[in-house]
Amino acid sequence: MNGIRLFSSHLQRQHNILQVASRFTGTLVLAEHANDKLNPITLNTVNAASRLGEISVLVTGSNVANIAEQMAKVEQVKRVFVADHEKLKHQLPEYVAKAVETLQKQHKFNYVIAGASTFGRDVLPRVAAQFDSAPITDIITIHNGDTFTRPIYAGNALCKVKSNASVKFLTFRATAFKPAKESGGDGKIEKAPKIDFSFSGVEFLSQELLKSERPNLQSAKVVVSGGRGVGSADNFKIIYELADKLKAAVGASRAAVDAGYVSNELQIGQTGKVVAPELYIAIGISGAIQHTAGMKDSKIIVAINKDPDAPIFEIADIGLKADLHKAIPELIKAL
Amino acid sequence: MRALVAVKRVVDYAIKIRVKPDKSGVIKQNVQHSMNPFDEIALEEAVRLKEKQIVKEVVAVSLGSSKSQETLRTALAKGADRAIHVEVEEAMAEKIEPLLVAKILRKIAEAEKPDLILLGKQAIDDDCGQTAQLLAGLLNWPQAMYASVVEQESDKTFIVTREVDGGRESIRIKTPAVISADLRLNEPRYATLPNIMKAKNKPLEKKTPSDYGVEVAQQTQILEVTEPPVRKSGGFVEDVPSLVVKLKEVGVV
């Protein structure tokens, strides 16, 4: 189980270290889900984690048998641990962390991994603290069992790091890894060990989730995004209309969120969500580094802005200098 | 009630950073630095809680080189009552990881006994987003991350609205607790000139990690820092019809 360091020390040739590692190391992936639905980020995480050894998954929650079954079928998954408890119903990080900690103490995985989402960012460092381990978050490249690259300074620099932590706590950026297949796996489902939930400092009250018929922002193939240039919440209608025409998700810049045009769940950027769709259409967005940090890995970037000097045009594959209030309705008609 | 606020000195958010030619890091010399924007928000919240007479004393803490004192003076000018500077050498300051910060903050928390510890949700230089969670884990305190609303409910409880992936979530936390500030928690104030002058006389205590019995160790070694691949501009199209043609050409529409 604790093979990678031992083994790599007398393995002088580095080229096949990943295959070697995969036979000797255990990796725990935290499954993320909401209301009986698996969050797709878990699949990206499993795929990335499969490069770091045999995969076990932990599913936490209340009445989550179906999620466990779904996870067991995911390609590469060998074991699924289920921590099913009323206390885990809303998956508060304090309780999820207890579940991960208990399982880790028993099985001593070499890696504990989650997606770099609110859930993963919340839980993973809290557990890492119990094992005196410095986590590495938002990884975009795995070089080998202990070396990773992550963006810093809003994606304006890439930092390659080597972790000497005995247990590595990592989060992966979903858009940097392909999802694992949802079938083909034959994981064994087991009950997680009994967890001590005697913690009373936190209580879930309510949740207000944004309901949308549109595809999920982080997995959408096309994203149409509006900025301050859109002008008002009312004007944002044309952004939605264009998105519907393209079966796209809707995003926004921080300026549009701060101005109250849309709610913050739609924010793309360093402090919002990171997307990398096939097509990203930036409308009325100037292209501040805060924003481009969240979308510059998109395959094709289209920018529509009336200011030809807007920095967004420096990274756009296709630029159109135009008044969006005229151009977007025209574009909708033409599509 | 006492509030502890952790603040970090970072390269100003408006600066376009440059990577050092030897790939050891980014150029920081002669570059404008300021308080991490999320920490400004955390500090503002603490000061507002003081103005509402919920909090009696606000203590600002920073870990870093001697230059971090400027950041602490700013915190004092914005309303903190006193400051603690945990000093490390400049060369070391570059390598500090969130776990070390969390360990030192735990020791300070044990000494100062705050009811609330407020931090920014991430620093805009390393973009780690870990310190608050690590600290809550070390202390075994409740954590309210990405807070957009913080309201006192009773003597020992707060209701916090959190910004989560799908929307918002409301939780009740019991003090002592760790809160991390999201962008929309508040609009930080500017330090006025009279307050900047007054801040010069507020107490600023100097400490070192060894005063807290914390060993300055690193688990993560930075191998190299590089520029991200540059995207090239593809130029402009004339009008909407030619945009549609281009989109069809690349096959995305």
Side-chain angles (χ1 to χ4, degrees), chain A residues 3-4 7-8 11 13-27 48-54 76 111 142-146:
Chain A
I4 182 145
F7 213 85
S8 60
L11 185 85
R13 286 163 300 143
Q14 293 279 309
H15 64 273
N16 60 352
I17 189 163
L18 281 180
Q19 283 115 305
V20 173
S22 67
R23 272 186 275 130
F24 289 88
T25 60
T27 298
S50 67
R51 300 186 54 192
L52 300 170
E54 191 174 284
Q76 305 265 20
Y111 300 90
I142 302 169
H143 299 284
N144 59 47
D146 56 17

Side-chain angles (χ1 to χ4, degrees), chain B:
Chain B
M1 200 172 274
R2 176 177 292 158
L4 196 71
V5 185
V7 294
K8 182 177 186 182
R9 178 178 181 269
V10 298
V11 172
D12 192 88
Y13 74 94
I15 303 285
K16 188 160 177 17
I17 58 116
R18 282 183 304 147
V19 170
K20 284 185 193 165
D22 69 357
K23 297 185 179 176
S24 64
V26 308
I27 296 170
K28 291 185 179 172
Q29 263 161 343
N30 301 320
V31 168
Q32 168 79 34
H33 280 64
S34 48
M35 190 189 294
N36 178 41
F38 293 103
D39 303 349
E40 280 193 294
I41 297 169
L43 174 70
E44 175 67 26
E45 197 63 20
V47 174
R48 287 187 192 189
L49 288 170
K50 193 186 164 188
E51 287 166 346
K52 288 183 200 153
Q53 290 169 359
I54 293 165
V55 161
K56 277 216 174 69
E57 189 186 37
V58 177
V59 184
V61 184
S62 194
L63 172 67
S65 75
S66 58
K67 288 177 185 150
S68 294
Q69 282 182 31
E70 295 161 23
T71 308
L72 286 170
R73 286 290 169 206
T74 307
L76 293 168
K78 286 173 180 250
D81 297 287
R82 58 189 172 89
I84 301 170
H85 176 216
V86 184
E87 186 167 354
V88 293
E89 278 174 38
E90 189 142 7
M92 186 58 219
E94 294 263 318
K95 298 173 193 159
I96 291 171
E97 55 193 18
L99 182 63
L100 177 72
V101 183
K103 283 179 181 176
I104 287 172
L105 289 173
R106 169 178 55 179
K107 293 290 181 180
I108 296 176
E110 283 163 5
E112 299 283 342
K113 307 220 171 344
D115 301 276
L116 289 178
I117 305 178
L118 294 115
L119 304 91
K121 75 162 175 178
Q122 79 195 65
I124 60 162
D125 51 2
D126 61 29
D127 282 336
C128 280
Q130 302 173 5
T131 309
Q133 296 91 316
L134 285 164
L135 176 61
L138 290 173
L139 291 163
N140 197 29
W141 288 6
Q143 65 183 54
M145 302 294 105
Y146 326 121
S148 59
V149 184
V150 175
E151 275 171 337
Q152 193 185 35
E153 186 194 36
S154 74
D155 256 11
K156 286 203 166 289
T157 60
F158 283 82
I159 308 276
V160 179
T161 305
R162 308 176 53 215
E163 312 246 319
V164 296
D165 278 341
R168 282 178 197 89
E169 182 179 286
S170 222
I171 55 169
R172 174 184 287 122
I173 48 165
K174 222 189 272 172
T175 57
V178 178
I179 296 176
S180 81
D182 211 323
L183 270 179
R184 273 157 283 278
L185 181 57
N186 59 49
E187 188 94 32
R189 71 193 64 191
Y190 291 99
T192 60
L193 190 58
N195 284 341
I196 292 170
M197 300 309 287
K198 269 186 232 162
K200 290 188 174 156
N201 298 320
K202 287 187 179 176
L204 194 158
E205 208 178 333
K206 279 189 216 173
K207 296 276 194 185
T208 63
S210 59
D211 290 336
Y212 295 105
V214 176
E215 191 200 339
V216 180
Q218 252 182 293
Q219 292 180 16
T220 314
Q221 188 190 342
I222 296 172
L223 299 181
E224 64 172 27
V225 175
T226 51
E227 302 262 4
V230 186
R231 271 193 95 105
K232 267 192 289 176
S233 166
F236 288 90
V237 290
E238 269 309 301
D239 47 20
V240 172
S242 29
L243 170 62
V244 176
V245 169
K246 273 261 186 177
L247 285 175
K248 284 186 175 151
E249 252 172 50
V250 292
V252 282
V253 178

